[in-house]
């Protein structure tokens, strides 16, 4: 069975299948703030989507981070390091990439495992 979370005409916030949760790239809602606050918003969205799927950040397997300015890597990591579950750092890649809206300073997508029944 496939379950979709936050499904719209173009994409779903997440798709659940085969014991895994696939999150689409999450972006902040308030684009007027700096990369630190945008990162906090994105990670909070990820927490909420994972909770709705029945899992949490300690079960994230892999993460993809897109930053339009790689100079924001350090600022992103200060928020990331405080958020990531201790002892459960996932595999992660971070690339510099132009994003859909120039005001978006960070986008994060991930794949997480569901708890075993």
């Amino acid at each position: 069975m496939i379950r979709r979370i936050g499904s719209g005409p173009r994409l779903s916030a997440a798709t659940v299948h085969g014991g895994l949760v696939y999150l689409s790239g999450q972006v902040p809602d308030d684009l007027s703030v700096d990369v630190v606050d945008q990162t906090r918003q994105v990670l909070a969205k990820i927490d909420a989507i994972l909770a709705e799927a029945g899992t949490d950040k300690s079960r994230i397997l892999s993460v993809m981070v897109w930053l339009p300015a790689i100079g924001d890597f350090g600022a992103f990591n200060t928020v990331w390091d405080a958020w990531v579950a201790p002892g459960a750092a996932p595999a992660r890649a971070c690339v510099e990439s132009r994003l859909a809206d120039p005001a978006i300073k960070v986008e994060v997508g991930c794949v997480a495992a569901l708890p075993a029944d």
Side-chain angles (χ1 to χ4, degrees), residues 98-109:
R98 186 171 57 199
L99 301 179
D101 181 328
I104 298 172
K105 295 175 175 59
V106 61
E107 183 169 346
V108 179

Side-chain angles (χ1 to χ4, degrees), residues 6-104:
S7 190
R10 182 171 295 142
L11 58 88
S12 296
T15 304
V16 182
H17 177 69
L20 296 174
V21 182
Y22 302 86
L23 274 70
S24 64
Q26 299 300 306
V27 296
D29 294 320
D30 181 358
L31 304 182
S32 70
V33 296
D34 66 9
V35 69
V36 167
D37 286 332
Q38 285 196 17
T39 301
R40 286 185 183 121
Q41 289 177 51
V42 168
L43 298 179
K45 286 172 88 171
I46 290 171
D47 281 333
I49 294 165
L50 291 174
E52 186 172 346
T55 192
D56 62 54
K57 65 185 174 185
S58 72
R59 301 185 61 80
I60 295 175
L61 304 172
S62 67
V63 173
M64 184 66 181
V65 179
W66 297 273
L67 296 171
I70 203 68
D72 287 337
F73 186 69
F76 170 83
N77 278 330
T78 60
V79 179
W80 172 266
D81 291 346
W83 175 81
V84 73
R92 190 186 96 174
C94 181
V95 298
E96 183 175 41
S97 176
R98 186 171 57 199
L99 301 179
D101 181 328
I104 298 172

